[in-house]
Amino acid sequence: MDYNIVNGTIVTATDKYRADVGIANGKIVKIARKIKEPAMEVLDAKGLYIIPGGIDIHTHLDMPFGGTVSADDFETGTIAAAFGGTTTIVDFAIQGKGMTLKRTLNTWMKKAKGKAVIDYGFHIAICHLTDKVMAEMPEMVASGVPSFKCFLAYKGALMIDDGALYRVLLESKKAGALVMIHAENGDILDVLINDFLAQGKTEPKYHALSRPPEAEGEATGRGIAIAQMAGAPIYIVHLSCKEALDKVQEARDQGYPVFAETCPQYLLRSYQNYLEPGFNGAKYVMSPPLRDKSNWKVLWKGIASGDLQVISTDHCPFNFKGQKDMGKKNFAAIPNGAPGIEHRLMLFFHEAVNKRRLNLNRFVDLVSTAPAKLFGLFPQKGTVAVGSDADLVLFDPKAPYKISARTQHQNVDYTPYEGFKGRGVPRVVISQGKVIIKEKKFLGRPGQGKFIKRKPIKIK
Ligand SMILES: [Zn+2]
């Protein structure tokens, strides 16, 4: 064996028990109360939880947006992810105008190759639907990309119309893919943005005011209704508010296969952040925007009830100096997005488990197991079991942390969580059976992360 992890407590989405874990050739090969076989290295996990590596199914590394590119590439972004206990990401390959899906996927494959330090997959965002593009969808599923994203916002750029969404849903159902939607009403936002700008209202807070929660609620309900017409499941990304959650709950209560994620920023930050002095509000310009604080409680309830199944980050960092300031005189020119890939497990563990909102198993489920199951990665990833990939985190539930841009590994000059304190830190991170983080040091190498061909997704 390469490693024997001793004295730890295994935590999965369903169990918690004391056992040793044996690793060889990138896989978990043995789990037993005591493992006596020799190993190249023994890792002592006394006082630590052994959890499946985090899976972040919503990231934007090296992504062009509004004339600039997100600040983390597949090297810096996956190193930051690894420091935070995430061992798999699924990033978005975004179809440019006139691009085939194949070329779209190849473009993103090239961005990741030789750089990623953890395993990765891709969703493809379909932004320009033609018959030819439709015909390519089954081929993409066969290549290991069984999820497509549609934007109902960003009019004139990424947005597609309802007919196109309907066609993508129909074809996805046939091909074995899950459709994800960015649910905001792009037509209405377009009017609001232009109205504010015409009135000379250009500060960052107008980003939020031009994207009201009702526009998210409407698009969420519409997306769900269109999925119902297509007889297909649907997944709502970065759900931020009550108006949208109500639609998800209503559909799920009726038994429809509707799924949704939220992100730490919507549980911990709010509209108030846009009012920070100077141009500071730009740090929080993302879509959907941060909402009124009253939504925090609503979202936690949605998580507890199971109506929200996944915690992802929507990591899409832009530097405050040199990128966010492109919109100093116009909120609509501020690149949309914020960093978070490094701090998801730490923040969510503290807020969920330490604050007794959820138990340990649900924590593991939300950050690893559920996303693995929904997106065709389970049981290769998302659990601690013999035969699964040895993607593991030795997590110290008691270790304190304080988040700061000065000490983070994300390649960006700020964090929305500056000064946040909590307990719960990944001590050792293992990817494909290799220790890549130990005692706050990165021991991996760029390029060791592999593209994971995900399985077709069939949800009844
Ligand atoms: Zn996103």
Side-chain angles (χ1 to χ4, degrees):
M1 294 192 310
D2 299 321
Y3 294 101
N4 186 8
I5 307 171
V6 302
N7 300 325
T9 299
I10 295 175
V11 182
T12 68
T14 49
D15 296 303
K16 180 181 176 213
Y17 59 102
R18 292 287 303 271
D20 294 349
V21 179
I23 296 170
N25 302 319
K27 300 277 180 193
I28 296 169
V29 292
K30 188 162 186 178
I31 296 175
R33 186 67 189 84
K34 278 282 166 230
I35 296 178
K36 299 209 175 78
E37 281 101 315
M40 303 283 281
E41 193 178 340
V42 173
L43 297 168
D44 188 358
K46 190 165 191 283
L48 308 179
Y49 295 136
I50 304 168
I51 62 173
I55 297 175
D56 191 345
I57 57 102
H58 192 153
T59 66
H60 299 281
L61 302 178
D62 199 355
M63 188 191 80
F65 186 100
T68 186
V69 179
S70 62
D72 270 312
D73 66 10
F74 279 81
E75 183 173 330
T76 62
T78 57
I79 289 173
F83 270 102
T86 288
T87 54
T88 305
I89 59 165
V90 187
D91 202 270
F92 290 90
I94 301 186
Q95 182 199 15
K97 204 167 187 178
M99 254 166 115
T100 62
L101 299 188
K102 196 171 180 176
R103 205 179 124 211
T104 304
L105 180 60
N106 282 343
T107 303
W108 259 262
M109 288 282 212
K110 275 190 204 134
K111 289 173 191 265
K113 204 172 170 127
K115 289 194 161 184
V117 307
I118 57 171
D119 290 349
Y120 56 92
F122 292 108
H123 318 282
I124 298 179
I126 298 179
C127 308
H128 310 277
L129 189 70
T130 61
D131 290 343
K132 224 180 125 205
V133 166
M134 288 270 287
E136 278 190 282
M137 289 171 63
E139 193 188 326
M140 292 300 106
V141 176
S143 314
V145 179
S147 42
F148 299 103
K149 181 179 183 183
C150 295
F151 289 90
L152 306 187
Y154 302 117
K155 190 176 180 177
L158 308 171
M159 181 170 131
I160 63 167
D161 63 28
D162 293 348
L165 172 61
Y166 179 63
R167 293 180 76 201
V168 170
L169 281 157
L170 283 175
E171 187 57 40
S172 292
K173 193 191 172 195
K174 260 197 276 171
L178 180 60
V179 177
M180 317 163 78
I181 55 167
H182 174 132
E184 288 185 291
N185 184 316
D187 285 315
I188 306 293
L189 305 189
D190 199 49
V191 174
L192 289 168
I193 291 165
N194 289 326
D195 282 357
F196 279 128
L197 291 177
Q199 294 161 34
K201 294 175 173 169
T202 60
E203 304 106 276
K205 72 171 180 182
Y206 291 103
H207 168 76
L209 296 173
S210 67
R211 308 181 89 95
E214 291 84 356
E216 187 182 339
E218 186 280 330
T220 303
R222 176 161 41 99
I224 291 170
I226 295 169
Q228 288 168 357
M229 287 184 249
I234 195 161
Y235 181 95
I236 319 295
V237 296
H238 49 43
L239 187 146
S240 76
C241 60
K242 180 181 190 299
E243 285 78 357
L245 184 60
D246 282 349
K247 303 290 182 188
V248 170
Q249 275 167 343
E250 191 184 24
R252 289 179 60 85
D253 286 350
Q254 291 169 34
Y256 287 105
V258 173
F259 306 93
E261 67 182 17
T262 190
C263 315
Q265 56 269 33
Y266 300 116
L267 298 166
L268 292 167
R269 311 266 66 188
S270 77
Y271 175 75
Q272 292 304 105
N273 292 106
Y274 294 114
L275 309 179
E276 288 178 11
F279 185 59
N280 236 24
K283 292 178 178 175
Y284 310 93
V285 167
M286 60 184 80
S287 297
L290 298 174
R291 303 300 190 185
D292 183 83
K293 276 181 185 163
S294 59
N295 288 285
W296 293 353
K297 234 182 168 169
V298 175
L299 294 177
W300 278 111
K301 264 193 175 166
I303 294 168
S305 69
D307 288 312
L308 297 169
Q309 299 81 33
V310 173
I311 300 295
S312 63
T313 61
D314 194 10
H315 177 79
C316 190
F318 296 101
N319 285 300
F320 186 60
K321 288 205 175 69
Q323 293 190 293
K324 288 286 188 183
D325 52 16
M326 291 161 65
K328 240 184 171 149
K329 294 196 177 99
N330 170 5
F331 69 84
I334 301 170
N336 278 212
I341 201 168
E342 185 170 354
H343 301 124
R344 181 177 63 124
L345 269 63
M346 289 156 73
L347 285 169
F348 193 64
F349 180 84
H350 188 72
E351 294 299 320
V353 180
N354 290 347
K355 296 194 176 171
R356 297 176 187 278
R357 289 175 166 120
L358 305 173
N359 68 24
L360 262 175
N361 303 112
R362 271 288 280 158
F363 162 74
V364 170
D365 192 32
L366 282 147
V367 300
S368 180
T369 313
K373 285 183 173 170
L374 273 167
F375 287 93
L377 289 162
F378 191 84
Q380 181 186 354
K381 299 192 183 288
T383 192
V384 183
V386 171
S388 291
D389 285 359
D391 287 1
L392 298 167
V393 176
L394 308 189
F395 193 84
D396 185 342
K398 299 223 164 76
Y401 64 78
K402 184 178 173 186
I403 293 175
S404 171
R406 285 188 306 279
T407 51
Q408 72 183 359
H409 301 88
Q410 299 172 140
N411 184 36
V412 60
D413 61 3
Y414 79 98
T415 160
Y417 308 106
E418 187 67 41
F420 267 59
K421 286 183 197 158
R423 285 178 189 276
V425 174
R427 288 271 190 218
V428 176
V429 178
I430 301 169
S431 162
Q432 299 166 22
K434 294 185 189 78
V435 171
I436 58 168
I437 302 288
K438 195 176 183 183
E439 300 312 325
K440 297 180 180 171
K441 278 204 182 70
F442 175 62
L443 304 173
R445 63 174 174 77
Q448 78 178 73
K450 284 189 297 221
F451 171 71
I452 301 295
K453 268 182 91 169
R454 292 179 293 130
K455 295 176 289 189
I457 300 168
K458 298 269 185 194
I459 299 166
K460 270 161 248 137

